[in-house]
Short mmCIF file of all heavy atoms in Angstrom, two decimals:
data_model
loop_
_atom_site.label_atom_id
_atom_site.label_comp_id
_atom_site.label_asym_id
_atom_site.label_seq_id
_atom_site.Cartn_x
_atom_site.Cartn_y
_atom_site.Cartn_z
N PRO W 121 25.39 -35.63 -51.92
CA PRO W 121 24.84 -36.44 -53.00
C PRO W 121 24.65 -37.88 -52.54
O PRO W 121 25.37 -38.37 -51.66
CB PRO W 121 25.89 -36.33 -54.10
CG PRO W 121 27.13 -35.92 -53.41
CD PRO W 121 26.74 -35.15 -52.20
N GLU W 122 23.69 -38.56 -53.14
CA GLU W 122 23.34 -39.91 -52.70
C GLU W 122 24.52 -40.86 -52.89
O GLU W 122 24.95 -41.56 -52.00
CB GLU W 122 22.12 -40.38 -53.49
CG GLU W 122 21.27 -41.45 -52.84
CD GLU W 122 21.06 -41.25 -51.35
OE1 GLU W 122 20.64 -40.15 -50.92
OE2 GLU W 122 21.33 -42.21 -50.61
N SER W 123 25.06 -40.86 -54.11
CA SER W 123 26.22 -41.71 -54.38
C SER W 123 27.13 -40.99 -55.36
O SER W 123 26.68 -40.56 -56.41
CB SER W 123 25.77 -43.05 -54.97
OG SER W 123 26.88 -43.74 -55.46
N THR W 124 28.38 -40.81 -54.97
CA THR W 124 29.29 -40.05 -55.82
C THR W 124 29.92 -40.92 -56.89
O THR W 124 30.14 -40.48 -58.01
CB THR W 124 30.39 -39.41 -54.96
OG1 THR W 124 30.90 -40.42 -54.11
CG2 THR W 124 29.87 -38.27 -54.16
N THR W 125 30.22 -42.18 -56.53
CA THR W 125 30.96 -43.03 -57.46
C THR W 125 30.11 -43.42 -58.66
O THR W 125 30.64 -43.58 -59.75
CB THR W 125 31.43 -44.30 -56.73
OG1 THR W 125 30.34 -44.82 -55.99
CG2 THR W 125 32.56 -43.98 -55.81
N TYR W 126 28.79 -43.55 -58.46
CA TYR W 126 27.91 -43.99 -59.54
C TYR W 126 27.99 -43.01 -60.71
O TYR W 126 28.20 -43.39 -61.86
CB TYR W 126 26.48 -44.11 -59.02
CG TYR W 126 25.50 -44.60 -60.06
CD1 TYR W 126 25.43 -45.95 -60.36
CD2 TYR W 126 24.68 -43.71 -60.73
CE1 TYR W 126 24.55 -46.40 -61.32
CE2 TYR W 126 23.80 -44.16 -61.70
CZ TYR W 126 23.74 -45.50 -61.98
OH TYR W 126 22.87 -45.95 -62.94
N GLU W 127 27.88 -41.69 -60.39
CA GLU W 127 27.93 -40.66 -61.42
C GLU W 127 29.28 -40.66 -62.13
O GLU W 127 29.35 -40.59 -63.36
CB GLU W 127 27.68 -39.28 -60.79
CG GLU W 127 26.24 -39.06 -60.36
CD GLU W 127 25.32 -39.00 -61.56
OE1 GLU W 127 25.73 -38.40 -62.57
OE2 GLU W 127 24.21 -39.56 -61.48
N ILE W 128 30.36 -40.73 -61.34
CA ILE W 128 31.71 -40.70 -61.93
C ILE W 128 31.89 -41.87 -62.88
O ILE W 128 32.35 -41.71 -64.01
CB ILE W 128 32.77 -40.73 -60.81
CG1 ILE W 128 32.71 -39.45 -59.98
CG2 ILE W 128 34.17 -40.88 -61.40
CD1 ILE W 128 33.59 -39.48 -58.76
N GLY W 129 31.48 -43.06 -62.42
CA GLY W 129 31.64 -44.25 -63.25
C GLY W 129 30.85 -44.16 -64.54
O GLY W 129 31.36 -44.46 -65.62
N THR W 130 29.60 -43.68 -64.43
CA THR W 130 28.77 -43.57 -65.63
C THR W 130 29.39 -42.59 -66.63
O THR W 130 29.47 -42.87 -67.83
CB THR W 130 27.36 -43.07 -65.24
OG1 THR W 130 26.93 -43.83 -64.12
CG2 THR W 130 26.39 -43.25 -66.37
N LEU W 131 29.85 -41.43 -66.11
CA LEU W 131 30.42 -40.43 -67.02
C LEU W 131 31.69 -40.95 -67.69
O LEU W 131 31.90 -40.74 -68.87
CB LEU W 131 30.71 -39.13 -66.25
CG LEU W 131 29.47 -38.29 -65.96
CD1 LEU W 131 29.85 -37.09 -65.11
CD2 LEU W 131 28.84 -37.81 -67.27
N ILE W 132 32.54 -41.64 -66.92
CA ILE W 132 33.79 -42.13 -67.51
C ILE W 132 33.49 -43.15 -68.60
O ILE W 132 34.15 -43.18 -69.63
CB ILE W 132 34.69 -42.74 -66.41
CG1 ILE W 132 35.36 -41.63 -65.61
CG2 ILE W 132 35.78 -43.62 -67.02
CD1 ILE W 132 36.25 -42.11 -64.52
#
Side-chain angles (χ1 to χ4, degrees):
Chain W
E122 205 41 52
S123 169
T124 48
T125 46
Y126 182 79
E127 288 293 320
I128 294 173
T130 314
L131 283 176
I132 283 179

